[in-house]
Amino acid sequence: MKKIISILVVCTALFAFSGCGSTHYTVTKTDGSTIVSVGEPNYFDKSKSYELKDLDGQKVILKREDVKEIKENKD
């Protein structure tokens, strides 16, 4: 029983700390709204767009002209 509890504690700790290594960025759009991305947004020169994953894990694609600012969050 102690072994199972130890394994559960270790797995829970690994899961909890897995998000700590990711840098978050706040993307401010030209309309004033913001999106927080997990990891740095990727820019694609061919399509002139940014691709990022939001906090829910959804892929978001933004045209370059819709992005006002990308700022790294300092936590």
Side-chain angles (χ1 to χ4, degrees), residues 4-29:
I4 293 173
I5 292 173
S6 296
I7 291 172
L8 287 174
V9 168
V10 169
C11 289
T12 303
L14 288 174
F15 179 73
F17 293 121
S18 66
C20 295
S22 298
T23 303
H24 293 74
Y25 289 79
T26 299
V27 179
T28 305
K29 297 173 27 178

Side-chain angles (χ1 to χ4, degrees), residues 40-63:
E40 186 173 4
N42 295 314
Y43 181 72
F44 297 98
D45 197 42
K46 185 175 181 180
S47 62
K48 306 275 191 257
S49 63
Y50 288 96
E51 183 179 303
L52 57 100
K53 286 204 178 199
D54 67 10
L55 293 176
D56 295 327
Q58 300 295 314
K59 183 168 83 169
V60 177
I61 298 173
L62 298 170
K63 293 180 184 177

